[in-house]
Amino acid sequence: MKICVVGAGFSGSVVARQLAEHGHSITVVDERDHVGGNCHTGRDPRTGIMVHTYGPHIFHTDKQEVWDYINAFSDMMPFAHRVKAISKGQVYSLPINLLTINQFFGKTFSPTEAQSFIAGKGRRDIIDPKSFEEQALAMIGEELYHAFFYGYTLKQWGMSPAMLPASVLRRLPVRFNYDDNYFNHQYQGMPKDGYTPIFERLLDHRGIEVHLRQRHEDLSLADFEHTFFSGPLDRFFNYSLGPLRYRTLDFERFYGNGDFQGTAVLNYCDAEIPFTRITEHKHFAPWESASFDGTVCYREVSRECTSGDIPYYPIRQVAEKRLLSDYIALAKQTPRTSFIGRLGTYRYLDMDVSIGEALSAGKQTLQALQSGAAIPTFFIDPLS
């Protein structure tokens, strides 16, 4: 079967590899000049440090299949993501843990004492939190919410936390011990040589042709028996129903000598500071960080995504979900096309979820081809 895959990020690359391994002819196109999408990494020409070009990506998963899969294409090095945060001129540890609580309130609580203390801070009148703000106030109370979440969230999303769903905060743990590992997942790591070689290996198959600097609009998709589209869903339809809203990121790269901040990620929680965080990239590869005298950092600013920007975070408020529903209906009327990935389904996805869903999409496609059934338009429910 002759298949086109639009997008050379994880979703497109994994599907392409799976289908190529089963004898199908795959053409992968991407409008950028590199593979890997937003996971692209490369050596900074001035320092030699491995830079996450579109912001940091830390791999974490509980899924054995996904962990085994990425290890087949990369040497994954141990890496625990430890975030620090500045609030009102003081440095704290995130996610909120026992050290954060004791330092912030000037206490020496035990785990049980801290848990009881924070429970007393939580708003008991909020029984069923509907918004990010209500969820935070119910979980941790007014002081910690305003210190660590209010200003940062306002900058990140460009709107009050009272307008965001509670699910945004539920992804972040609160711990009553001194564990400051940002993630709870069993498997955590960073590719030894960066992410880009993973995509190069995924796409290195005799059944795959890769065409970079190639817009899908300039192709005749009718020449293919099926298309897997991992670009923006609304763009596929030329924004005919209107644009879906995203947040995008601007990065200010700057250099220094030695060690600038002593950690990979430092959040700036106060609303009056325009950037959300500074990332220092040599700390994402601690096994080689001592090799560099200099350092390279990014100041990161979030803003509304406009035409020509790179879409990062789908906003997914009520109006966007309504528009998404209309695009889903339109997509289901489109023959011989499947929509996959973060942009194709308008969802925020971690890398392991993207890989897991792409593996599932590949399996479902092969089963459909074997049985003579139609290949699904969506392999998940984008509204979930």
Side-chain angles (χ1 to χ4, degrees):
M1 192 176 203
K2 187 179 179 183
I3 296 170
C4 181
V5 175
V6 177
F10 268 123
S11 297
S13 298
V14 170
V15 165
R17 179 70 182 218
Q18 281 187 294
L19 300 180
E21 287 178 346
H22 284 80
H24 298 284
S25 175
I26 314 298
T27 298
V28 176
V29 299
D30 198 297
E31 65 183 357
R32 302 190 198 186
D33 62 0
H34 59 74
V35 296
N38 287 354
C39 296
H40 177 65
T41 54
R43 293 286 177 186
D44 175 66
R46 178 167 162 180
T47 63
I49 293 168
M50 183 65 72
V51 169
H52 296 226
T53 307
Y54 302 97
H57 288 76
I58 296 92
F59 199 89
H60 52 98
T61 188
D62 279 330
K63 301 169 185 172
Q64 183 73 53
E65 179 188 28
V66 171
W67 182 247
D68 290 343
Y69 191 83
I70 198 166
N71 274 273
F73 295 94
S74 175
D75 293 327
M76 297 298 288
M77 301 292 286
F79 184 86
H81 189 36
R82 305 187 190 281
V83 175
K84 301 297 180 282
I86 294 179
S87 175
K88 305 303 180 186
Q90 297 293 317
V91 180
Y92 299 94
S93 173
L94 287 183
I96 292 173
N97 60 71
L98 188 54
L99 177 61
T100 319
I101 295 166
N102 279 331
Q103 184 183 1
F104 186 84
F105 292 105
K107 303 292 186 180
T108 56
F109 287 136
S110 68
T112 302
E113 291 169 336
Q115 192 165 5
S116 177
F117 179 80
I118 296 301
K121 292 284 184 181
R123 286 266 303 272
R124 297 182 180 179
D125 59 315
I126 303 175
I127 307 301
D128 183 22
K130 295 294 192 297
S131 70
F132 181 111
E133 182 168 88
E134 288 183 347
Q135 181 71 34
L137 292 172
M139 282 175 57
I140 57 177
E142 192 84 29
E143 295 131 305
L144 290 174
Y145 164 59
H146 279 281
F148 297 110
F149 296 116
Y150 176 77
Y152 189 94
T153 305
L154 192 65
K155 293 185 291 186
Q156 178 72 7
W157 290 99
M159 65 186 71
S160 167
M163 299 174 65
L164 292 169
S167 59
V168 175
L169 182 63
R170 291 189 189 119
R171 300 173 66 244
L172 303 177
V174 175
R175 300 196 183 107
F176 296 100
N177 56 32
Y178 290 104
D179 179 9
D180 63 349
N181 189 335
Y182 200 76
F183 301 115
N184 289 320
H185 294 99
Q186 179 180 1
Y187 303 109
Q188 301 178 41
M190 196 73 80
K192 183 178 180 180
D193 301 313
Y195 283 98
T196 299
I198 297 175
F199 296 95
E200 292 171 343
R201 292 168 189 142
L202 276 167
L203 297 169
D204 183 16
H205 189 280
R206 64 181 181 276
I208 299 175
E209 288 187 7
V210 179
H211 299 274
L212 300 177
R213 303 183 186 88
Q214 174 72 70
R215 290 168 15 108
H216 78 273
E217 290 95 339
D218 299 327
L219 289 176
S220 175
L221 296 181
D223 293 339
F224 298 92
E225 296 172 78
H226 198 83
T227 295
F228 289 87
F229 188 81
S230 67
L233 177 62
D234 51 351
R235 179 174 163 181
F236 182 87
F237 297 103
N238 197 28
Y239 310 103
S240 59
L241 304 178
L244 291 165
R245 293 173 63 212
Y246 288 89
R247 298 292 286 177
T248 192
L249 298 174
D250 293 327
F251 302 104
E252 178 197 348
R253 186 181 297 203
F254 65 95
Y255 296 90
N257 297 318
D259 194 338
F260 177 76
Q261 62 186 21
T263 190
V265 176
L266 184 59
N267 287 359
Y268 286 78
C269 300
D270 301 330
E272 58 269 21
I273 296 174
F275 50 88
T276 54
R277 62 184 182 176
I278 293 178
T279 55
E280 187 167 10
H281 289 248
K282 70 180 180 182
H283 293 300
F284 292 117
W287 54 90
E288 64 178 34
S289 60
S291 306
F292 303 105
D293 296 326
T295 194
V296 57
C297 304
Y298 279 5
R299 287 189 187 92
E300 192 170 305
V301 176
S302 174
R303 61 175 173 82
E304 184 84 6
C305 189
T306 59
S307 178
D309 290 328
I310 297 172
Y312 280 84
Y313 304 109
I315 293 175
R316 287 180 70 91
Q317 289 188 289
V318 173
E320 282 70 44
K321 279 201 168 185
R322 189 181 303 118
L323 182 58
L324 173 61
S325 179
D326 293 339
Y327 272 120
I328 290 171
L330 192 58
K332 288 181 177 179
Q333 300 171 19
T334 304
R336 300 184 303 168
T337 306
S338 299
F339 297 87
I340 58 174
R342 178 176 59 94
L343 300 178
T345 60
Y346 192 63
R347 294 149 63 231
Y348 178 80
L349 301 178
D350 287 327
M351 289 180 288
D352 68 316
V353 177
S354 294
I355 292 172
E357 289 189 358
L359 288 170
S360 177
K363 292 173 186 175
Q364 291 181 58
T365 298
L366 292 169
Q367 290 169 358
L369 291 173
Q370 187 174 22
S371 65
I375 301 172
T377 303
F378 294 98
F379 298 91
I380 47 81
D381 178 7
L383 289 169
S384 62

